[in-house]
Amino acid sequence: MPSNKATKILQLVALTALIFTTQSALALGEPSYLTDTPEPTDLRLVDGRKTATLYHANTADSAIVLALDDLKDDIKRVTGKSPSVTSDLTKLGKQAVIAGEIGRNELIDRLITQKKIDVSEIANRWEGYLIQVVQNPLAGVEQALVVAGSDRRGVAYGLYNISEHIGVSPWYWWADVPVKKSSDLTIKADTRITDAPKVKYRGIFLNDEAPALTGWVTEKFGNYNHEFYEHVFELLMRLKANYMWPAMWNNAFNDDDPLNMVRAHEHGIVMGTSHHEPMMRADKEWNRYGQGDWDYATNPDNLAKFWRDGAERNKPYDSIFTMGMRGQEDTPMSEDQNIELLETIVSDQRKILRDVFSDRDITDVPQLWALYKEVQGYYENGMRVPDDVTLLWADDNWGNIRRLPTPAERERSGGAGVYYHFDYVGGPRSYRWMNVTPIAKIWEQMNLADAFQADRIWIVNVGDLKPQEFPMEYFLRLAWDPSDWPKERLTEFGQLWAEREFGAEHAADIAQLVTGYSHHNGRRKPELMSPDTYSQLNYNEADRVSAELTELVEKAEAIYDDIPRAQRDAFFQLVLHPVTATYLVNELYNVTAKNRLYASQGRANANLYAERAQELFNADAELTKRYHKLNGGKWNHFMAQPHIGYTHWNNPPANTMPVTYDYQAHGAADMGVAVQGMSGAWPQTGALTLPEFSPYGPTSYYLDIYNRGTEAFDFTATPSADWISLSRREGRIEVSERVFVSINWDKAPTGHQDASVLIKGTGWGGATINIKAFVPTPEARAEATGFVESNGVVSIEAPHYSAKQSAAGGDWQSIDNLGRTQGSISVFPITDTEFSGDKQAPWVEYDVYLFSRGEITLTGLFAPSLNFVPGRGLRYAVGFDDAEPQVVDVLADLSKPAWQQAVSDSVRRASSVHHIDQPGRHTLRIYAVDPGVTLQKLIIDTGGLKPSYLGPPESYHR
């Protein structure tokens, strides 16, 4: 055995080997341009004790200087070696990093003239950059890594790209992601990368920021000052974002700290104000300095002066001016639409901008009109703004885009954009606590925006910023270039993200964990959860969901225990906490529901579930404390948002334990019996009946024999037919026992069979459990292919079609992980084309086998998308066999209650009635009509459909 000292030496050697490794594929979606087998022509960024010199011109823009300083710090973070930064070309040395703007940096322009770099792919493009290793760029320099940008942000993005490649995550500070250590950094000689964004302005909105973000900012920085915002600006630049709306609930960005705007501009961030804060003035500034009413009809002069001051203050800085006007504190301007008044407001605001920006054309002053909530109604009713003003369309606050540009609107010089939400305060229920937005949902909606050329501005409400790290990065990466991250790469994105943050070993599992918890929260937000969300009675739904989340927690905890300690803080924030928190809230409501059901049935163990509910409620509080203690309390307050116990649209003042029932068991032996699918129980209820058995349904159903008192008793269970199998026929009941009932299909007679199971214990006569079974004929069983009816239902996951037809340029395609269950399908590419909805349109086909005949109801579960094209809904057509297809509009009911139900359930339902003449094989076809229809699930109800949230599990099919 080695000595303790020898063991420690061996451990140190192993740790050093683990730390000092060359990293690969650290930048998402890009092959690494680093190498651990250097060639003479490669560029040595760090080689032993030597480091390349970092160069920018002494006239370089601040965004370039700051990015180059960050690269310097990142190199030191990775290698422990700090390179020098210079503006003196005589001090470059043999290896250098040269950064500069095309047309503004003499050295960059000289390299272009000498044809040592070719910038034709990025020249004159917005925020484009070139990264290239150049041999002998100037005398005395053997190799240089040249970062040339079409503008200042382009250069900065190129430099931050290098930082990510060498092992520094954009989330190194905001999520404590450890830097990947390396002793040397070598860039391949053939490195040449060019890139530029598709969406011009890509940004975030810090919103709904109290109590979490505000509590943290107050503790760490005192207020929303430049010291706080510099951390945000750096993060945005690392994520290749360029635009931000600042926190505004109780703050005013420019007024709280005059350096806020200065530092934003220096970093390269374009600032704006939210959808209801015009002319670069915060809502709270009017509270502080405004005179008179916030009403342009009665107080135009004071408002005009207020707005002029904002324009003059922001003239030196990159800004986008929000135009128009809403009421204070994000309310409608008036009860009635006063189009003439709002047109006057915009016209007068434009006059102010012309006066203030007299050195340029008004069309060179970026402006937007946010068509949020009722403001869209002004537009739809005829109000227009000048063509150079960007129309910023909004979602419905729940991630469903309300409107997109028509072909004529796409010709406007100001273009269009989208204001999107990961967080919202308002009806039907505020959701602010954690990430509830699957990236598949982001892709589905923002792909529509891209297809309809709403690509001038993409901005997303990220609430407190944490814990929206994962969807926020996907949104911004997608905005950079949607073609980089199509639906086919959704899974890959998660794996690459996990690999960058935590290494390759667990990347696939971590991606599944993040996808898993966000998928669950996407189908029902935690704030909307209640004890009756998932059915305790039908389809084993509540327990299936509980098992899914339990498996996620177990996997997350195992990975946490296995990864290096240096990664655990980041893993807790990004993976383990959201997985565990999601599980705890779901399980809290699950056991509360059991407590209430079991108490109503008179079960002696009902109170155990009340106790378990209290334990889970306490565990949620302890998990919050653990988050707040993380890394020495660095993230204290970030999980302060109440999220349990909502009773209306707004959150309770504190997490509130759900009501549980107290059942007082008496001091005697007293049998009770309950069965799957029924809330009533024996002896209160008479005969109990299990769901019908079928060879194509569940293999078993359960019945619970339980004690209503405290004294144990014996029971017997006797089936009336030999084809009924029981997991137990006798036993002693202390508290409760579950007996599973199944069918021996080799013994069961053909046809519809009725039998029973008699349970005897205490009480008079015992409990009779009715057993129903359907045994198809051998001929029917031989030909039963496709999705087979069982217990009056056929349930089909939309991606599991048996055939499809492409037509008129359209094709039904799958979108993995989109929706509440297993995925979705929609027609691509997204265009303005309306399909015929007949047999010549694109269709998908499902083979089904029905034992029923007559009228049936087909219900489709669809993504809760909205009518983003004016004047039409979201239609599809459906037919069985050779029947004429029926056209169905998913949005036939556009009432507020229907919308509230759809966003609460994360799905829209559309139904049609069909007539089936004969049992047997049938073909169900879904035909395309409108683009943007996204189908998740199909349910055929022949008379047996039971209530549940997700619908029946997918039917047996072969």
Side-chain angles (χ1 to χ4, degrees):
M1 295 290 289
S3 66
N4 288 338
K5 181 177 180 180
T7 300
K8 290 180 180 179
I9 292 173
L10 290 171
Q11 290 173 340
L12 179 61
V13 170
L15 179 61
T16 302
L18 175 66
I19 292 175
F20 288 97
T21 56
T22 299
Q23 304 300 314
S24 62
L26 293 171
L28 295 189
E30 298 178 6
S32 175
Y33 43 72
L34 273 68
T35 178
D36 56 3
T37 56
E39 298 291 335
T41 54
D42 293 339
L43 179 134
R44 286 153 177 82
L45 201 57
V46 176
D47 184 12
R49 295 184 178 180
K50 299 177 183 178
T51 63
T53 303
L54 311 184
Y55 168 81
H56 63 73
N58 55 19
T59 58
D61 183 88
S62 59
I64 299 171
V65 175
L66 288 169
L68 204 63
D69 283 343
D70 284 339
L71 178 60
K72 171 190 173 181
D73 293 343
D74 290 341
I75 291 171
K76 185 175 181 180
R77 290 182 179 104
V78 172
T79 67
K81 311 298 188 302
S82 182
S84 61
V85 179
T86 185
S87 296
D88 187 345
L89 291 177
T90 66
K91 296 181 179 179
L92 291 189
K94 294 182 179 181
Q95 307 281 301
V97 175
I98 298 169
E101 290 180 75
I102 300 166
R104 293 177 178 267
N105 182 294
E106 181 181 349
L107 179 54
I108 294 294
D109 292 346
R110 189 193 317 164
L111 294 173
I112 296 170
T113 301
Q114 294 172 347
K115 299 189 183 304
K116 292 191 175 182
I117 60 173
D118 178 2
V119 297
S120 59
E121 297 168 59
I122 63 164
N124 302 316
R125 296 185 67 184
W126 176 264
E127 297 177 348
Y129 64 82
L130 162 75
I131 302 174
Q132 182 177 339
V133 172
V134 177
Q135 304 296 324
N136 304 309
L138 67 163
V141 180
E142 294 179 0
Q143 290 91 19
L145 184 61
V146 175
V147 181
S150 60
D151 53 32
R152 68 191 190 116
R153 278 187 291 271
V155 181
Y157 294 143
L159 292 169
Y160 286 120
N161 180 275
I162 298 169
S163 290
E164 192 174 353
H165 270 268
I166 67 174
V168 180
S169 166
W171 300 98
Y172 81 95
W173 191 87
W174 274 100
D176 300 319
V177 176
V179 169
K180 310 298 190 300
K181 302 291 186 178
S182 293
S183 56
D184 301 302
L185 294 172
T186 303
I187 310 296
K188 298 173 185 176
D190 61 355
T191 296
R192 186 178 188 277
I193 295 172
T194 61
D195 209 353
K198 171 76 179 295
V199 177
K200 188 171 185 178
Y201 296 105
R202 311 163 305 281
I204 66 168
F205 179 20
L206 297 179
N207 192 218
D208 308 329
E209 61 270 19
L213 180 60
T214 295
W216 177 78
V217 166
T218 302
E219 177 182 307
K220 305 300 181 183
F221 301 97
N223 197 2
Y224 283 91
N225 54 36
H226 72 279
E227 294 176 339
F228 158 70
Y229 274 113
E230 283 183 322
H231 288 291
V232 182
F233 301 151
E234 180 192 336
L235 172 67
L236 292 178
M237 291 300 293
R238 288 180 182 270
L239 294 173
K240 296 182 181 177
N242 62 4
Y243 183 44
M244 193 176 82
W245 294 350
M248 43 65 66
W249 262 25
N250 293 297
N251 291 88
F253 181 76
N254 287 289
D255 194 55
D256 290 342
D257 184 349
L259 286 177
N260 280 346
M261 190 68 239
V262 176
R263 294 291 184 262
H265 185 82
E266 288 176 348
H267 277 80
I269 300 301
V270 181
M271 290 303 300
T273 46
S274 71
H275 54 280
H276 73 101
E277 298 176 298
M279 298 292 284
M280 294 303 298
R281 297 305 301 260
D283 180 76
K284 293 299 176 283
E285 288 187 88
W286 181 258
N287 293 348
R288 297 173 187 178
Y289 308 115
Q291 297 180 359
D293 295 332
W294 180 263
D295 186 342
Y296 203 73
T298 62
N299 195 25
D301 293 340
N302 285 325
L303 280 163
K305 182 182 183 303
F306 179 72
W307 291 336
R308 179 179 294 274
D309 291 345
E312 290 175 344
R313 180 179 62 190
N314 274 73
K315 182 179 179 181
Y317 311 116
D318 285 347
S319 310
I320 301 178
F321 286 83
T322 296
M323 310 298 283
M325 187 176 183
R326 292 189 82 220
Q328 273 202 285
E329 298 184 349
D330 201 11
T331 58
M333 187 169 67
S334 62
E335 292 183 6
D336 300 319
Q337 285 189 355
N338 190 334
I339 290 177
E340 183 178 357
L341 176 61
L342 192 53
E343 287 177 334
T344 299
I345 290 170
V346 173
S347 177
D348 290 352
Q349 290 170 343
R350 296 268 289 182
K351 290 176 184 176
I352 292 171
L353 292 179
R354 284 192 180 92
D355 290 344
V356 173
F357 292 90
S358 58
D359 57 337
R360 68 199 76 172
D361 192 277
I362 186 67
T363 60
D364 293 328
V365 181
Q367 304 152 67
L368 66 82
W369 185 29
L371 301 167
Y372 180 73
K373 286 192 174 180
E374 84 288 342
V375 180
Q376 182 177 323
Y378 283 80
Y379 185 89
E380 304 294 7
N381 289 326
M383 179 177 166
R384 294 294 182 266
V385 293
D387 270 13
D388 61 282
V389 178
T390 301
L391 298 179
L392 188 67
W393 301 102
D395 68 359
D396 60 353
N397 301 303
W398 291 71
N400 307 295
I401 297 174
R402 298 172 66 201
R403 173 80 145 73
L404 288 169
T406 64
E409 291 164 347
R410 291 171 213 159
E411 300 300 318
R412 300 178 68 260
S413 60
V418 172
Y419 168 35
Y420 202 72
H421 285 76
F422 294 162
D423 163 287
Y424 179 58
V425 170
R429 189 70 58 84
S430 299
Y431 62 97
R432 306 168 53 193
W433 174 47
M434 72 154 49
N435 169 28
V436 296
T437 311
I439 64 172
K441 168 78 171 182
I442 299 170
W443 179 85
E444 184 241 358
Q445 288 292 298
M446 299 314 294
N447 178 63
L448 295 174
D450 179 50
F452 283 75
Q453 298 176 31
D455 55 10
R456 184 63 56 90
I457 300 170
W458 285 11
I459 186 164
V460 59
N461 185 329
V462 298
D464 300 311
L465 195 151
K466 295 176 71 67
Q468 304 290 352
E469 298 96 337
F470 182 66
M472 174 177 157
E473 178 157 3
Y474 180 76
F475 182 92
L476 294 174
R477 298 277 183 178
L478 190 68
W480 179 265
D481 189 346
S483 67
D484 286 345
W485 299 108
K487 65 182 187 304
E488 291 80 8
R489 297 190 71 192
L490 289 168
T491 299
E492 182 186 2
F493 180 88
Q495 292 179 353
L496 290 170
W497 176 85
E499 181 177 353
R500 185 192 67 194
E501 312 301 49
F502 304 109
E505 181 180 358
H506 297 295
D509 286 338
I510 291 171
Q512 290 175 358
L513 291 170
V514 174
T515 299
Y517 90 77
S518 57
H519 180 257
H520 175 82
N521 290 335
R523 64 190 180 190
R524 189 75 177 185
K525 293 174 174 50
E527 293 85 347
L528 278 156
M529 290 288 292
S530 69
D532 58 1
T533 295
Y534 295 115
S535 177
Q536 296 289 331
L537 302 174
N538 299 318
Y539 308 120
N540 206 29
E541 184 175 66
D543 289 342
R544 284 191 293 112
V545 172
S546 176
E548 292 171 8
L549 291 173
T550 300
E551 183 179 355
L552 292 181
V553 170
E554 291 173 349
K555 181 181 288 187
E557 289 176 339
I559 294 173
Y560 179 85
D561 291 339
D562 192 52
I563 61 177
R565 289 187 178 274
Q567 294 181 345
R568 288 182 179 176
D569 281 357
F571 185 82
F572 182 83
Q573 293 168 62
L574 298 173
V575 185
L576 182 58
H577 174 270
V579 167
T580 306
T582 300
Y583 160 80
L584 288 174
V585 170
N586 179 82
E587 196 65 10
L588 168 62
Y589 287 116
N590 180 30
V591 299
T592 298
K594 284 179 167 55
N595 160 257
R596 295 180 184 181
L597 174 64
Y598 293 174
S600 71
Q601 293 174 337
R603 301 195 191 200
N605 64 346
N607 292 351
L608 296 177
Y609 289 90
E611 294 170 8
R612 176 61 177 154
Q614 186 65 60
E615 291 171 0
L616 290 162
F617 184 79
N618 295 341
D620 175 87
E622 289 302 313
L623 189 69
T624 296
K625 291 179 183 178
R626 182 178 173 187
Y627 195 109
H628 290 165
K629 291 178 180 178
L630 207 63
N631 196 1
K634 180 178 178 180
W635 305 115
N636 190 29
H637 300 289
F638 259 106
M639 286 299 126
Q641 173 60 43
H643 50 275
I644 300 173
Y646 279 70
T647 58
H648 63 301
W649 71 268
N650 203 9
N651 60 260
N655 287 330
T656 306
M657 175 73 185
V659 173
T660 55
Y661 296 168
D662 182 19
Y663 174 75
Q664 295 297 320
H666 53 70
D670 189 5
M671 184 178 77
V673 180
V675 302
Q676 185 171 351
M678 295 185 69
S679 59
W682 186 90
Q684 297 101 316
T685 301
L688 302 174
T689 303
L690 283 171
E692 184 180 65
F693 287 91
S694 161
Y696 307 104
T699 57
S700 65
Y701 295 111
Y702 65 80
L703 55 89
D704 287 338
I705 306 170
Y706 58 87
N707 204 334
R708 297 165 53 84
T710 56
E711 295 294 323
F713 64 87
D714 296 322
F715 81 92
T716 60
T718 307
S720 66
D722 63 356
W723 44 268
I724 298 175
S725 299
L726 302 177
S727 61
R728 294 187 65 183
R729 288 184 175 239
E730 60 182 24
R732 188 163 181 80
I733 302 297
E734 300 282 350
V735 178
S736 180
E737 294 291 340
R738 178 157 288 183
V739 175
F740 289 93
V741 182
S742 57
I743 304 300
N744 185 331
W745 297 107
D746 292 333
K747 293 183 177 180
T750 299
H752 291 278
Q753 303 299 323
D754 292 302
S756 62
V757 174
L758 178 62
I759 312 295
K760 286 190 174 182
T762 67
W764 182 82
T768 298
I769 313 301
N770 295 324
I771 307 297
K772 295 179 178 295
F774 170 59
V775 185
T777 64
E779 294 78 13
R781 295 185 70 170
E783 70 169 8
T785 58
F787 291 89
V788 183
E789 177 187 355
S790 172
N791 209 354
V793 170
V794 178
S795 178
I796 304 169
E797 295 294 333
H800 298 164
Y801 49 80
S802 54
K804 68 175 181 176
Q805 171 183 275
S806 302
D811 180 54
W812 288 92
Q813 298 175 19
S814 297
I815 311 169
D816 292 342
N817 297 314
L818 176 61
R820 306 194 309 173
T821 46
Q822 296 186 26
S824 299
I825 61 171
S826 191
V827 174
F828 298 100
I830 298 289
T831 68
D832 294 298
T833 302
E834 294 181 34
F835 299 100
S836 59
D838 59 22
K839 296 178 182 179
Q840 304 308 310
W843 52 254
V844 283
E845 187 173 272
Y846 302 88
D847 293 330
V848 299
Y849 192 92
L850 302 177
F851 296 104
S852 302
R853 70 177 73 197
E855 276 198 354
I856 64 169
T857 300
L858 173 70
T859 299
L861 305 187
F862 295 84
S865 302
L866 293 171
N867 49 334
F868 56 88
V869 175
R872 75 180 187 208
L874 288 177
R875 296 166 296 168
Y876 66 99
V878 57
F880 279 87
D881 304 323
D882 295 324
E884 188 70 20
Q886 300 180 35
V887 175
V888 183
D889 189 350
V890 179
L891 300 176
D893 185 353
L894 282 173
S895 66
K896 184 176 180 180
W899 171 80
Q900 290 179 322
Q901 189 72 51
V903 296
S904 298
D905 294 348
S906 296
V907 75
R908 280 212 181 238
R909 296 170 176 82
S911 297
S912 53
V913 176
H914 305 265
H915 187 83
I916 301 297
D917 290 330
Q918 294 295 332
R921 295 177 181 170
H922 296 276
T923 300
L924 167 62
R925 278 188 185 175
I926 305 294
Y927 302 88
V929 181
D930 293 325
V933 174
T934 301
L935 174 62
Q936 300 178 10
K937 192 181 186 79
L938 292 161
I939 301 171
I940 301 172
D941 179 13
T942 65
L945 183 64
K946 301 293 193 298
S948 67
Y949 184 72
L950 299 174
E954 188 168 43
S955 296
Y956 169 90
H957 56 283
R958 64 182 178 93

